[in-house]
């Protein structure tokens, strides 16, 4: 399928490797940082960096990601060679993979929800976060993407702006980080192949089905302001559509909170 002249085609057609391989680090600054170093040295797409603990784990919007042993910290390297808007959709691919890896192990799999843009919640509390980093290559295409994923398996930070939880607190049986890494990566590469071949449509549909607060009033904190409105939908690129008193707003970056 190809788009109109001048438009990005809606199927990324990105090469997703058939296999993935793990590089383990006992202790590292950040698996995303290590992934960038490996990329510079020519690491192949499909390389996954996994660490037991991180000293400078980072979260979205400059926040830090506290990383004691017992939880999962990993970064998946891809070289998608697609427009940046499409590369950003890999965050939703990662969320679906987390849903597959975690959901079935919960007493109530329906308690697992996705929070825009890239969080995974159980019973309204955040158990996993995703940090996408990329670099532009030729003709404004994403040369590489690092998909960093942190899952609170055994512990969750106490003082967080958004309430956090750990899998073991939600009735998920004790699991070694490497076991969760395996199911997560298998699911990720499966969904990534769907994304590369069929585009964002099926990924978007599956994500929306489990979206937290869809149809409800939410507050979105932007860089220096905030918006309140009804979470109407996710658009064809992955932007959040918010029905506000002033009309429909399309939001591409921000932090979502329940309204009130
Ligand atoms: C967020 O919700 O703010 C995103 C958190 C992402 C954390 C993971 S842990 C593995 C990878 N390495 C990092 O430094 N960050 C990501």
């Amino acid at each position: 399928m190809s788009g109109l002249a001048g438009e990005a085609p809606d199927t990324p057609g990105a090469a997703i490797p058939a296999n993935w391989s793990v590089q383990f680090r006992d202790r590292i600054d950040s698996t995303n940082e290590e992934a960038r170093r490996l990329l510079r040295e020519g690491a192949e797409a499909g390389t996954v960096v996994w660490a037991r603990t991180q000293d400078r784990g980072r979260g979205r919007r400059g926040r830090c990601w506290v990383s004691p042993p017992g939880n999962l910290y990993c970064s998946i390297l891809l070289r998608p060679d697609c427009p940046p808007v499409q590369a950003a959709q890999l965050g939703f691919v990662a969320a679906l993979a987390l849903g597959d890896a975690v959901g079935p192990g919960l007493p109530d799999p329906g308690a697992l929800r996705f929070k825009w843009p890239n969080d995974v919640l159980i019973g309204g509390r955040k158990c996993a976060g995703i940090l996408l980093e990329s670099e532009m290559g030729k003709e404004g295409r994403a040369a590489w993407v690092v998909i960093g994923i942190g899952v609170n398996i055994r512990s969750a930070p106490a003082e967080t702006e958004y309430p956090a939880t750990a899998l073991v607190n939600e009735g998920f049986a004790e699991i070694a980080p490497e076991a969760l890494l395996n199911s997560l990566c298998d699911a990720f590469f499966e969904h990534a192949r769907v994304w590369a071949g069929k585009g964002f449509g099926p990924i978007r549909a599956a994500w929306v089905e489990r979206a937290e607060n869809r149809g409800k009033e939410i507050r979105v904190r932007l860089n220096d302001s905030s918006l309140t409105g009804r979470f109407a939908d996710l658009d064809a690129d992955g932007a959040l559509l918010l029905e506000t008193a002033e009309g429909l707003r399309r939001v591409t970056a921000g932090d979502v909170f329940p309204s009130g």
Side-chain angles (χ1 to χ4, degrees):
M1 213 189 306
S2 64
L4 300 172
E7 272 186 356
D10 49 13
T11 48
I16 301 298
N19 299 306
W20 51 275
S21 64
V22 178
Q23 294 252 357
F24 173 68
R25 305 287 183 266
D26 186 58
R27 182 176 176 184
I28 198 78
D29 48 359
S30 147
T31 56
N32 270 34
E33 203 51 49
E34 181 69 349
R36 284 162 168 262
R37 288 189 284 265
L38 292 175
L39 275 160
R40 267 181 242 123
E41 290 163 13
E44 285 179 17
T47 305
V48 178
V49 183
W50 161 47
R52 192 179 63 89
T53 177
Q54 303 182 116
D55 291 329
R56 283 194 296 279
R58 49 184 189 246
R60 287 176 59 243
R61 300 169 86 78
R63 290 184 284 255
C64 77
W65 188 262
V66 181
S67 309
N71 293 340
L72 176 63
Y73 314 107
C74 66
S75 298
I76 300 170
L77 281 64
L78 288 180
R79 297 183 181 274
D81 186 29
C82 65
V85 166
Q86 287 178 341
Q89 296 163 355
L90 287 163
F92 298 92
V93 171
L96 293 191
L98 281 161
D100 289 356
V102 172
L106 295 171
D108 172 16
L112 184 142
R113 315 292 293 174
F114 302 134
K115 175 172 159 303
W116 189 87
N118 287 155
D119 293 339
V120 178
L121 311 180
I122 302 173
R125 294 174 166 265
K126 177 165 168 172
C127 68
I130 299 160
L131 176 67
L132 229 78
E133 295 179 333
S134 60
E135 189 173 272
M136 289 310 113
K138 288 186 223 107
E139 292 157 15
R141 296 170 77 78
W144 56 255
V145 179
V146 171
I147 302 121
I149 304 172
V151 186
N152 300 333
I153 298 178
R154 202 187 286 162
S155 63
E159 305 285 316
T160 47
E161 196 178 21
Y162 205 93
T165 190
L167 301 191
V168 296
N169 298 337
E170 302 298 333
F172 195 95
E174 276 276 351
I175 186 170
E178 57 270 38
L180 187 63
L181 176 75
N182 268 310
S183 47
L184 175 63
C185 289
D186 280 347
F188 177 86
F189 283 93
E190 220 169 274
H191 286 295
R193 278 187 281 278
V194 171
W195 168 79
K198 298 190 173 159
F200 187 50
I203 305 297
R204 179 191 164 280
W207 190 94
V208 165
E209 227 170 79
R210 293 182 108 165
E212 176 85 346
N213 283 327
R214 183 163 177 240
K216 299 200 180 129
E217 283 285 306
I218 56 169
R219 181 168 62 85
V220 186
R221 193 174 61 203
L222 311 174
N223 281 337
D224 43 21
S225 61
S226 70
L227 289 170
T228 303
R230 195 180 73 90
F231 175 10
D233 210 347
L234 197 67
D235 82 357
D237 287 329
L240 184 147
L241 297 177
L242 194 69
E243 271 172 17
T244 73
E246 289 76 40
L248 194 67
R249 292 284 300 261
R250 179 175 183 273
V251 184
T252 56
D255 285 316
V256 170
F257 300 90
S259 146

